[in-house]
Amino acid sequence: MQEINKMMMKHAMKGYLITGIILLAIGIGCASAGFRVLWKAGHVSQSVFSVGSDDLQNGNWYDGRNNLLLDWYGETEDGRYYVTVTGDKEPKYMGYYVPAAEINQAERIAEETRAMWFGKTKEYPKEYLNGIGYMADMTEDEKQCFDEYMAEGAKSDLSGYLVYRTFHKVSPWQAVKENGDDTMLYFGALMIVLAIFAFFYWIIGGYRFDVTKVMKQYGITEEMLASDMYYSRREKAVWFGEKYALFWGVFLTKLFQYDQLIWAYLKITSTRHTMYGIIPLGTSKSYELVIVDRDNKEKKIYVRTQQAGEDLLMQLTAMAPYIYSGYDESLMQARKNHFSEMIARVDEERQRRLTKDTLNTFPV
């Protein structure tokens, strides 16, 4: 049984590990932009006002705790753009975006800031906007609004005191959505989860599921299976024993007990490919060896070519010559409407072959 377990693991490793690596690479690639935003947002260490305006990095995240807002110079459905001061020794002016949910708080701070600015009070506003956010260069439209507002009441030339950058006080997830990276992040995260699942499923031996299920269902012990496979006829994709057959799959090894089989046939599926549903691109074919058991349940073995499928079918029926072999529409109808009769006839033929040494076959 140790040899069988090694073979199952070897074949499954190719499927699960390669698939996992591909899914992981796709996932990381798709989610990388969103992950970078979330990573930077999770490692904020500086206040936006503790850094000189020349050192503010576009795309970097900062702590945006602020109690100085002069007035707003632009707005959207989602929020407003306020004028605030930088952290330079000689303060300059830059933008500070506030989301709609916090505009009322921002207006109170702006009112108190203006009162202090124009000498009505000597105290700084006691209320703060709290939260993190990222720096971004102003768009041309925002820059125009910013310039117009600053020039409107200016008594002197402020050109050397204007910083065309805006602190966006938003949540990391909102920043991801603003950049349009949320869909790719969702997709990438899904791919990563599937990759982890593929690795985990291989580690816990999920590829043994069908073998374990069939052994339990028919009372096959490890010793019985190992003994039968010891002298089996071994092909690249399958081992044929006297009682059982093991089909090695890249994701799942399948076990068959011959006396539980009723019908086997090769299914050929043709698929037409088109561009935009109009322009024909050609036709492809896929091949499956379909094996039906006594419970009228089928298992499919995928093969690359028609010849490979026909060879497998021939070898299977050589080991179980009493089963129905090959596709016929009348057999499909019999499976749907008279399956018990198919079972009875297979049982009869198998019993006849057990009691008589004959090579005769019944018509299909």
Side-chain angles (χ1 to χ4, degrees):
M1 193 65 188
Q2 185 176 5
E3 183 182 15
I4 295 174
N5 288 331
K6 286 183 178 179
M7 285 294 294
M8 284 192 288
M9 179 179 290
K10 176 182 176 182
H11 282 80
M13 181 173 64
K14 298 176 183 177
Y16 285 104
L17 291 189
I18 293 175
T19 299
I21 291 171
I22 292 173
L23 289 175
L24 187 62
I26 293 174
I28 292 175
C30 292
S32 58
F35 280 150
R36 280 196 297 270
V37 171
L38 298 178
W39 173 264
K40 288 182 178 180
H43 293 78
V44 173
S45 60
Q46 289 180 307
S47 166
V48 68
F49 303 107
S50 67
V51 181
S53 58
D54 292 337
D55 296 322
L56 291 173
Q57 298 295 317
N58 190 36
N60 275 10
W61 283 73
Y62 300 93
D63 182 352
R65 180 177 169 82
N66 186 16
N67 68 337
L68 290 175
L69 296 174
L70 298 182
D71 204 350
W72 61 276
Y73 59 90
E75 68 177 338
T76 65
E77 293 181 356
D78 300 319
R80 281 183 180 173
Y81 294 84
Y82 287 81
V83 177
T84 191
V85 295
T86 67
D88 295 291
K89 291 182 179 180
E90 187 176 2
K92 299 178 181 179
Y93 303 97
M94 70 177 185
Y96 191 101
Y97 172 81
V98 178
E102 300 180 61
I103 286 179
N104 289 337
Q105 183 183 5
E107 282 298 304
R108 293 194 299 269
I109 294 174
E111 185 176 347
E112 292 181 23
T113 300
R114 290 192 296 272
M116 180 197 68
W117 203 267
F118 295 112
K120 294 181 180 180
T121 180
K122 294 182 179 180
E123 295 183 353
Y124 282 89
K126 295 180 180 179
E127 191 171 3
Y128 283 83
L129 285 169
N130 292 296
I132 61 175
Y134 65 93
M135 291 301 301
D137 292 333
M138 291 183 179
T139 64
E140 289 301 319
D141 289 341
E142 183 188 349
K143 183 178 178 181
Q144 182 179 348
C145 293
F146 183 71
D147 281 338
E148 290 175 355
Y149 172 81
M150 295 305 294
E152 185 176 340
K155 297 180 180 180
S156 60
D157 183 14
L158 295 176
S159 59
Y161 295 90
L162 303 183
V163 178
Y164 295 108
R165 285 180 179 169
T166 299
F167 176 82
H168 291 253
K169 183 184 178 299
V170 296
S171 68
W173 183 246
Q174 185 61 36
V176 171
K177 293 180 68 175
E178 287 178 1
N179 292 334
D181 296 324
D182 53 326
T183 301
M184 294 300 288
L185 183 59
Y186 280 131
F187 180 75
L190 175 62
M191 294 298 101
I192 292 172
V193 169
L194 291 176
I196 294 173
F197 177 78
F199 294 141
F200 177 74
Y201 199 72
W202 178 74
I203 290 173
I204 65 173
Y207 50 85
R208 288 178 46 91
F209 174 76
D210 186 75
V211 172
T212 303
K213 178 182 177 182
V214 172
M215 291 177 68
K216 183 177 180 180
Q217 181 179 0
Y218 301 130
I220 305 170
T221 65
E222 291 189 356
E223 291 75 14
M224 292 167 61
L225 181 59
S227 176
D228 191 65
M229 289 295 113
Y230 189 79
Y231 294 106
S232 61
R233 185 168 73 253
R234 303 184 178 188
E235 306 292 341
K236 184 177 181 180
V238 60
W239 286 3
F240 289 104
E242 290 296 321
K243 298 179 179 179
Y244 316 110
L246 280 170
F247 286 80
W248 311 111
V250 293
F251 293 106
L252 187 68
T253 297
K254 296 179 181 179
L255 173 63
F256 296 91
Q257 181 169 305
Y258 300 138
D259 61 11
Q260 297 297 319
L261 306 183
I262 301 300
W263 182 24
Y265 63 90
L266 182 63
K267 179 179 180 181
I268 303 175
T269 304
S270 297
T271 304
R272 293 182 61 191
H273 303 280
T274 61
M275 181 181 294
Y276 307 116
I278 301 175
I279 304 173
L281 297 178
T283 303
S284 65
K285 292 185 178 181
S286 60
Y287 308 93
E288 300 170 314
L289 179 62
V290 181
I291 303 174
V292 182
D293 64 15
R294 298 175 69 87
D295 296 323
N296 206 2
K297 294 180 180 180
E298 63 181 39
K299 293 180 183 178
K300 297 178 180 179
I301 308 297
Y302 296 91
V303 292
R304 294 183 179 180
T305 65
Q306 181 175 350
Q307 186 61 52
E310 291 174 351
D311 290 344
L312 280 180
L313 179 60
M314 182 179 65
Q315 293 179 78
L316 177 63
T317 52
M319 302 307 298
Y322 40 80
I323 70 172
Y324 289 93
S325 175
Y327 183 82
D328 187 277
E329 187 59 33
S330 62
L331 287 177
M332 183 61 72
Q333 293 302 317
R335 181 187 174 188
K336 293 178 181 178
N337 304 314
H338 307 288
F339 191 66
S340 59
E341 295 180 12
M342 292 180 69
I343 295 176
R345 191 168 184 183
V346 168
D347 287 344
E348 180 183 350
E349 178 64 16
R350 185 176 65 254
Q351 186 61 37
R352 185 178 71 82
R353 286 176 176 274
L354 287 174
T355 55
K356 297 181 180 180
D357 186 18
T358 177
L359 296 177
N360 291 335
T361 58
F362 53 91
V364 175

